[in-house]
Amino acid sequence: MQRYDYAIVGNSAAAVNAVESIRERDGDGSIGLFGEEKHRCYSRPLISYLVAGEIGTKGMYYRPSNWYRKMSVEFRPGERVTSISAARKTVTTGSGEKAKWGKMLLATGFTPFTPPIDGLEEVEYITFVSWDDARRMLSLTAKPVRALVVGAGLIGMKAAEALRARGAAVTVVEKLDRVLPLALDARASGLVAERCQAAQIDILTGTGVSRLSGRGGHKGAAVLEDGAELDFDLLVMAVGVRPRTELAEAADLPCEGGIRVDEHQRTPGRDIYAAGDAVSAMDVVLGKPSINALWPVAALQGKYAGMNMAGEEAPYPGCNSMNAVEFFGLPVLSAGIVNPPEDGYQVIMRQDEGGYRKVVLRGDVLVGMLVAGRIERAGILTSLIQERANVRRVKNSLLDEGFGHIHLPRAVRKARIEYAAAGLEAPGAGKGRGG
Amino acid sequence: MKRIIPREEYCIGCRLCEIHCIVQHSCSKDIIKAFKKERRQVKRIEVEEEGHVSFALQCRHCDEAPCVTACLSGAMRRDAETGAVTSDPERCVGCWTCILVCPFGAVRRDEAERKVVGKCDFCPDLEVPACVANCPNEALVLVEE
């Protein structure tokens, strides 16, 4: 039976970053990587860019083609892991092959969630989460079509934008009252919706699909909850995603709201680690574990999982809900809490010709930010959120165009600029605080 | 590993670093052409100023660079030889995730190119980066760690 010192289940952001972390620390240990898809690791968020024609096939790959060889990884593409045994330390693949491992990483990602809709089984639909989905969409839009997108979250809106770029007539249906209801606040949602409508995407909010009927292949018709009827040649179901926890669950690992890990990305299973979109890990803004199914978060978790798997004691610093998106030339960045509950939070907003900016504070601590249009230097705000910095003395400057390190106390900015980036602690300086 | 350290006690906010950064990254590397004839390059250094205090700040080329980990396309990488963190314009799709996570606000959009980010690259053609070489006050110093 094949044996790996490290078995990696998954082949995306968390898996790749874990491998790179392991290899930096352990040049010799054998690594086996099981990828369910046949592709080399590609960047899942770029499928909309591919469909829109902004990048080509080559631009999809997250790492160069010699990456697996360079990392001395035995890449096993198209091999789905169907079960794991924590007791015997084995994985079993779809073809029935078994392999033993010393340490294992579960980087199983997410799976699209499709609600039961009357008649859904009559229509072939696309969930738009994989390269194969993008290929199907490309071939189906070779000539102009009418497309219906159900769900106005990030996946649905990116699908809508890409379909529009392919010349499709696009309608988006969203149950809640606005687009991107989780990632953005109401005002930013409005700005994105305006851009989309200007690009002739029809957006119907506050309604869902109550019934579907098929007319062969991808063609069909939808009846909406408000009674409206829509014919389509292509249906995208983008209602939501769920963590893929079935392997972990079958191995009796705790999975309430995502695979549970400690601060070293370790599950309670011996030598089993987990990282990425399937995992519930520390959100520093919420102060508790949460799923942030986002590429940069998955990459960071993978990086820390790899360090710990290779024997280093490296606690995951935690992350927060961060998004960077652009729709029809309008960039929008957000971090932390952008839709605070009514009580206990202070919101400061500014809107002018340069764009829209907003920060959310809990007491004197910055817990959220959103910028649309003029996004330069917003990362400074993200870092203050991540550091849970006290911003009492700079509250009123946070939204100024010139806001920067100049507004932080001299000792704090020197610590950040001269030492923090080099991974050093400033002499005599306390923890970096912004006020 | 090279680093450029700002010394705010010597910075007078003249912004020559910003100007020479733009010239160095221009096509002609000629100051008049760079500002008057060619497409204006993105400045990859920023002078922050308030009252009498000022200093210039560019990418710190962080050891644990958040932009490298967060980059969606794999365009933002650390050069194994120079240690510099640079973005490959061929692979950058302009998702702006690096701008979202850079604690120094040191990554900028190249709005003319729309899809590419601009940041300090240590001026690979020069021994001493243009901002350091052209600072009249040694308010930017190059250190080797």
Side-chain angles (χ1 to χ4, degrees), chain A residues 43 54 61-63 295 299 303 324 326 331 373 376-377 379 382 404-406 410 413 416-417 421-422, chain B residues 3 8 48 50 53 55 60 62-64 69 71-72 77 91 95-96 99-100 102-105 109 114-115:
Chain A
S43 180
E54 293 179 29
Y61 291 106
Y62 184 51
R63 291 290 183 263
W295 186 272
K303 180 175 163 151
E326 180 168 307
E376 262 62 40
R377 311 207 83 198
T382 309
H405 293 78
I406 197 94
R410 188 161 191 262
R413 75 167 167 263
R416 283 174 74 117
I417 294 170
Chain B
R3 283 188 210 279
E8 60 183 65
E48 292 194 26
E50 179 114 323
V53 182
F55 54 86
R60 306 281 85 211
C62 303
D63 283 4
E64 294 289 335
T69 309
C71 180
L72 299 194
R77 302 295 290 158
R91 302 185 63 200
C95 71
W96 318 133
I99 296 179
L100 173 65
C102 174
F104 298 98
R109 281 182 294 165
R114 274 237 327 116
K115 292 253 153 264

Side-chain angles (χ1 to χ4, degrees), chain A residues 179 187-200 203 351:
Chain A
V179 302
R187 197 177 295 203
S189 283
L191 294 173
V192 170
E194 268 171 37
R195 294 279 177 133
C196 293
Q197 279 151 355
Q200 281 147 9
I203 295 171
Q351 192 164 7

